[in-house]
Amino acid sequence: MAKMYHKEKSIQIKSSASALYNNLSVLRIAPRCLTYFTVVHANVVNMVSASWDGLNYSHRQLQSKEGNVATSSSLIMQAAWCVLPSRDLLVLTSQKGIQMYESDGSIMVYWHALDTPETPTAQAVFARGIAAVRDKYICVGVSSGSVLVFDVPSKGSNITLSEVLEEHTEPITDMASECSGSMECIADLVSADDSGTLCVWKSGGDFQLLNKIPGFDTSCSSVKLWKGTVIAGYGTGQIRLYEGVTGILHAEVNAHARWIYSLDIAPFTGLLLSAAEDSLVRVWHLTISPETNNVEIEHLYNECVTDSQICGAKFCDGDGYAFAVTGYDLSEIIRYTQA
Amino acid sequence: MSTRTLPLLFINLGGEMLYILDQRLRAQNIPSDKAKKVMNDIITTMFNKKFLEELFKPQELYSKKALRTVFDRLAHASIMRLNQASMDKLYDLMTMAFKYQVLLCPRPKDILLVTFNHMDAIKDFVRDTPSILSQVDETYRQLLEIYTSLSGGEFQLIRQTLLIFFQDMHIRVSIFLKDKVQNSNGRFVLPTSGPVPYGTQTPGLIRMFSCSGEEIKRVQFRDGGNYTAALREGSFELFGDRVTKLGTNMYSVSRPVETHMSGTSKNSSQHTKVNTLPNPLAKEELNLLAKLMGGLEVQKPSHTDSGFRVNLFATDEEEEYVWVFFIHSSDKQANAELAKIMGEFTEAGDSSPSSSSKGDDLLAMMDGL
């Protein structure tokens, strides 16, 4: 197989990546020829801004927050950029709550505290799963299974909690919004949990549950929604493709030998990226035939990151021309571009 | 993160500690009655009812420093003494061994099987002592009660919590280097071959279905690895074949055991200096578990035979000796001799291995010389 991608120079980060699902977020800022990356390390988020010419890198670290204390040792579960038409926000979810920053991490615009019990309970409390939905919503999952819907104005800090969706009973693992850009898709958001249950939603003043796809007792650690198709990665190493609104299973892939930690889609080309604890990153291609509504998946490429348990993998652009990878205990962001 | 992590961390690290001590006591031909007493005293302390009650409460993981204090006290729960350097090496070995086991578990739930492997071995150490055996059995029951019903996702959260605790630890361990499971940079080798975890299919198959649920296409892709079907599932009961070898005793009688400190890390950006060494001159991080550990009484020997020294970590390559002492407060002559020898080997400014009550006895003796 001719090499589809080749390795580029890695970006060094200030501290190593923790073993957390979806532990890499990428924001491409075309007007400034910059790409931002975030990688979570325990209670800190490492942010790196890289210029496209490869000459300039700048670093910033954000810390978790707790109550009235500015910095905390509470662990961060996930960090992700939410791209809305009017603004981009960086969202951090931790054991104590949800922090939202301006996209460069310079100012915190909103803090939402979770209800944490006085003495620890057997069920851990944390927020995890982040998605920007349509024009003005940011949705965040919680360990109780709730999905919090925040209403975000086009500027300023007047962000409000507008709704709490109670459908899942297990901790939320990941969430994704429709990323094809098509306005025809009915489903706007998919949420996944530790039992593998997938909920498909339509956004609005009141979010509407379109479908609930039952799990098979396996955690779904990463999920994507593209052209109405739910792409789900599981702890068993399987990837499944479901038609969101109907729940029809279109494809089942025995993709990895270990727990899947990250999925990403390049919306313009239908390239799919999957990464797992088995050290492998795989690139696939999705095609959806509009007439038959059939979904096909084809394997294209493998990349082995030797002796690493991968925890984050994302495309750096909408075509899938380049992708970046993080691994547990690694203090670098490894990059690949098409040959 | 997970509030159920501390018991697994403590039991597995404790198990590794016992493997190492057992191996050294045997390798140095310590009389079996003395060796057995050391092992029994430590195991009794590890599984003390009050201590376990506190351990099993849902709580966040202790910091590295706090947990080190607990193990310092556990290591001194018998008539055996270790100096600072010995304790450091012991702790390095214990933590790197468990880090390895956690990383290599095929699926997160297998961490429980690793724990059972340690428990099975501990049970074997005390099989002749019914009183301690019953403590161990009680711990098994608690483990079964709390952990067997947890989901895969909850075990993964436990695993992720453990991996944060072990983050950035890359101490090279010679037994791992020799077996080629660790690279010279301190990172573990992750094989891309062998049996897949229980519940996982070998990678390679894509199945596609029509809207009516019919399989319409089947394609094989090249997965780049060399995986085989999963082995049978290990037993999650009180007795049974655990199947996995992770967590079993990797120290055979004749193998020397030592650690190499990894020195300055090559990649400066990852070198976060975490001080896990308790400074005996400063206040210990006194957490509740450590307090409970320190307050536990262990019977002192009543006979007056003199103590003797044991090399805990002597190697052929490096002539580095670390002393283990057996303290008998009734034999002044031997104590003076031992204290004098200990004085020759401890680092400047470091006058005591621990500040527990037994350490205070030693300090008092040294002051009297």
Side-chain angles (χ1 to χ4, degrees), chain A residues 57-329:
Chain A
Y57 296 97
S58 78
H59 299 260
R60 172 175 255 143
Q61 287 188 308
L62 300 174
Q63 272 212 286
S64 63
K65 186 184 146 59
E66 183 171 341
N68 290 323
V69 181
T71 61
S72 148
S73 60
S74 87
L75 298 171
I76 298 174
M77 308 299 289
Q78 192 178 6
W81 272 287
C82 289
V83 175
L84 294 166
S86 52
R87 70 199 295 195
D88 300 332
L89 289 178
L90 175 61
V91 179
L92 269 58
T93 54
S94 73
Q95 293 178 281
K96 294 293 178 191
I98 299 155
Q99 294 154 253
M100 298 192 192
Y101 291 82
E102 293 295 2
S103 64
D104 62 356
S106 55
I107 307 164
M108 183 161 80
V109 295
Y110 184 68
W111 157 248
H112 174 92
L114 290 177
D115 282 324
T116 40
E118 286 253 334
T119 45
T121 51
Q123 159 82 285
V125 175
F126 55 83
R128 182 176 59 188
I130 303 167
V133 183
R134 288 288 174 212
D135 292 358
K136 59 189 197 127
Y137 301 107
I138 288 180
C139 297
V140 178
V142 184
S143 47
S144 58
S146 305
V147 173
L148 307 177
V149 180
F150 294 95
D151 206 301
V152 182
S154 55
K155 56 175 183 268
S157 54
N158 191 18
I159 296 167
T160 54
L161 175 64
S162 77
E163 206 182 345
V164 179
L165 310 173
E166 311 269 25
E167 203 55 54
H168 293 273
T169 53
E170 295 294 314
I172 303 291
T173 45
D174 192 23
M175 299 210 296
S177 55
E178 174 58 61
C179 62
S180 64
S182 161
M183 294 308 289
E184 290 169 12
C185 296
I186 314 164
D188 293 327
L189 174 71
V190 62
S191 52
D193 72 25
D194 255 344
S195 68
T197 302
L198 301 163
C199 287
V200 183
W201 308 86
K202 179 173 165 51
S203 66
D206 284 313
F207 271 54
Q208 189 195 337
L209 178 71
L210 296 174
N211 195 7
K212 191 168 182 176
I213 303 170
F216 47 108
D217 260 336
T218 301
S219 181
C220 169
S221 37
S222 197
V223 76
K224 284 268 157 301
L225 182 61
W226 184 67
K227 294 189 175 174
T229 301
V230 173
I231 305 129
Y234 296 86
T236 51
Q238 251 193 9
I239 294 174
R240 291 181 162 207
L241 305 180
Y242 289 97
E243 189 174 296
V245 174
T246 59
I248 293 172
L249 176 66
H250 277 295
E252 189 182 274
V253 186
N254 296 338
H256 287 275
R258 292 283 189 281
W259 205 285
I260 291 176
Y261 260 63
S262 191
L263 291 180
D264 197 22
I265 268 256
F268 306 150
T269 53
L271 286 180
L272 171 71
L273 194 65
S274 68
E277 286 175 0
D278 62 359
S279 307
L280 282 158
V281 183
R282 302 196 197 276
V283 182
W284 318 77
H285 186 229
L286 260 57
T287 36
I288 300 177
S289 40
E291 319 86 38
T292 56
N293 248 345
N294 268 346
V295 179
E296 292 224 341
I297 177 168
E298 183 196 353
H299 174 255
L300 295 183
Y301 182 70
N302 297 324
E303 187 66 58
C304 181
V305 185
T306 310
D307 298 334
S308 300
Q309 296 202 338
I310 303 171
C311 50
K314 285 273 180 350
F315 284 118
C316 298
D317 56 88
D319 290 301
Y321 178 73
F323 65 87
V325 170
T326 57
Y328 168 66
D329 254 356

Side-chain angles (χ1 to χ4, degrees), chain A residues 1 12-21 40-42 75-77 95 120-126 128 170 194 219 235-238 243 248-259 261 277-280 282 284 292-299 302 304 307-309 328-331, chain B residues 1-4 58-60 99 103-108 151-154 156-157 159-170 183 187-193 195-197 199-213 216-217 221-225 227 267 269-270 272:
Chain A
M1 186 194 291
Q12 299 303 314
I13 44 178
K14 296 294 180 192
S15 50
S16 57
S18 290
L20 297 162
Y21 303 142
V40 177
H41 171 98
L75 298 171
I76 298 174
M77 308 299 289
Q95 293 178 281
T121 51
Q123 159 82 285
V125 175
F126 55 83
R128 182 176 59 188
E170 295 294 314
D194 255 344
S219 181
T236 51
Q238 251 193 9
E243 189 174 296
I248 293 172
L249 176 66
H250 277 295
E252 189 182 274
V253 186
N254 296 338
H256 287 275
R258 292 283 189 281
W259 205 285
Y261 260 63
E277 286 175 0
D278 62 359
S279 307
L280 282 158
R282 302 196 197 276
W284 318 77
T292 56
N293 248 345
N294 268 346
V295 179
E296 292 224 341
I297 177 168
E298 183 196 353
H299 174 255
N302 297 324
C304 181
D307 298 334
S308 300
Q309 296 202 338
Y328 168 66
D329 254 356
L330 287 183
S331 299
Chain B
M1 279 159 46
S2 172
T3 53
R4 289 268 181 235
Q59 57 193 305
E60 292 292 326
K99 179 174 183 177
L103 263 177
L104 263 89
C105 267
R107 49 166 197 171
S151 68
E154 281 174 284
Q156 182 63 281
L157 190 69
R159 185 173 175 277
Q160 291 174 342
T161 310
L162 288 169
L163 288 178
I164 289 179
F165 184 84
F166 291 128
Q167 194 129 11
D168 302 322
M169 291 181 66
H170 302 295
N183 295 318
R187 291 167 188 277
F188 291 116
V189 173
L190 301 181
T192 53
S193 59
V196 289
T200 292
Q201 303 296 315
T202 51
L205 181 63
I206 302 173
R207 298 169 73 200
M208 287 171 274
F209 307 91
S210 71
C211 293
S212 54
I216 45 175
K217 205 171 180 186
F221 70 89
R222 261 195 296 149
D223 67 284
Y227 292 104
N267 183 350
S269 73
Q270 81 188 40
T272 43

Side-chain angles (χ1 to χ4, degrees), chain B residues 216-263:
Chain B
I216 45 175
K217 205 171 180 186
R218 212 170 236 253
V219 180
Q220 281 285 140
F221 70 89
R222 261 195 296 149
D223 67 284
N226 193 10
Y227 292 104
T228 52
L231 300 175
R232 68 196 181 288
E233 197 179 18
S235 162
F236 288 96
E237 318 242 321
L238 202 55
F239 301 99
D241 179 10
R242 312 299 179 189
V243 180
T244 180
K245 294 285 160 269
L246 296 169
T248 55
N249 194 342
M250 62 178 169
Y251 305 102
S252 66
V253 180
S254 50
R255 270 180 120 154
V257 169
E258 73 262 21
T259 59
H260 297 282
M261 296 304 284
S262 64

